[in-house]
Amino acid sequence: MQEHTPSRRRLLQQALGGAAILVAAALILCGTAAAAQRTEETRTLVVVGAAVVHGSNITAARDAAIANGLMQAVSLATVEIASPEGFAENFKKLSELLLDRPDEYIQDFKVLSEATFAKNHRVLIQATVAGTKIREALAGAGLLREK
C-alpha cells in the first residue's frame, strides 16, 4: 500500500473546514440571525455533523455525518419550539417521534464544507427545517406547551 502525503490544497481545505466548523459552532451557540433564520413555517440552521471513518470508507462516513447533522438541525428546531425544559422532560418520546427520522422534518439542505481529521469526517450543513411539521407532531403527541 502506498502512502500519500497531503497536498497543499488538501491541507488548506482541512484548515478552512476546521475554521468553518468553529465559526458555525460560535454562530449556533450565540443564536445569531446568521445561524438561524426563522419564519413560522421553516427554520434555516447551520449545523455540524460528524461520524467516524471505518477503514477507508469516507463515503459511508460522509453519509453518516450528514445524517448526524440533520438530526442536530431537527433537535435545535425542536428545542426552540418545545423549550429546553420540554425537550429534556420528553427526550425519550422526542427521540422516537422526531430524532429517529429527521428526514421527515428537513425540507432541504446543502453541505457547505467538509473535512476529514484523523478518523473523523465532519460536515458543515445548512438545513431548512419544517417547523410547522415539528409543531404539529409535538401537538399531536401532546408534547407542545406554550413557553
Side-chain angles (χ1 to χ4, degrees):
M1 187 185 306
Q2 195 176 29
E3 282 192 27
H4 297 282
T5 57
S7 69
R8 251 185 162 174
R9 182 175 180 218
R10 182 71 180 151
L11 290 173
L12 181 59
Q13 286 174 333
Q14 287 177 342
L16 291 175
I21 289 170
L22 292 175
V23 168
L27 289 173
I28 291 167
L29 291 175
C30 293
T32 64
Q37 296 174 340
R38 291 185 225 174
T39 66
E40 277 302 306
E41 297 83 31
T42 64
R43 286 169 167 69
T44 301
L45 302 163
V46 175
V47 295
V48 176
V52 174
V53 178
H54 296 286
S56 61
N57 196 346
I58 299 283
T59 302
R62 181 181 194 272
D63 292 344
I66 290 170
N68 177 259
L70 296 179
M71 186 204 47
Q72 295 293 335
V74 171
S75 295
L76 288 171
T78 303
V79 166
E80 288 179 7
I81 293 168
S83 83
E85 296 81 15
F87 191 84
E89 288 170 15
N90 299 293
F91 184 71
K92 185 177 182 204
K93 288 180 184 177
L94 290 171
S95 289
E96 294 168 359
L97 181 66
L98 303 170
L99 305 183
D100 285 347
R101 45 185 189 194
D103 291 351
E104 291 183 26
Y105 304 98
I106 300 290
Q107 287 185 339
D108 60 50
F109 73 93
K110 65 181 171 181
V111 175
L112 302 174
S113 186
E114 61 186 285
T116 302
F117 300 98
K119 285 297 205 177
N120 291 298
H121 192 78
R122 295 184 187 117
V123 292
L124 182 64
I125 298 171
Q126 179 180 323
T128 303
V129 183
T132 301
K133 284 182 86 171
I134 291 174
R135 185 176 295 281
E136 289 169 358
L138 293 172
L143 300 174
L144 186 62
R145 341 180 214 155
E146 293 302 315
K147 291 184 186 182

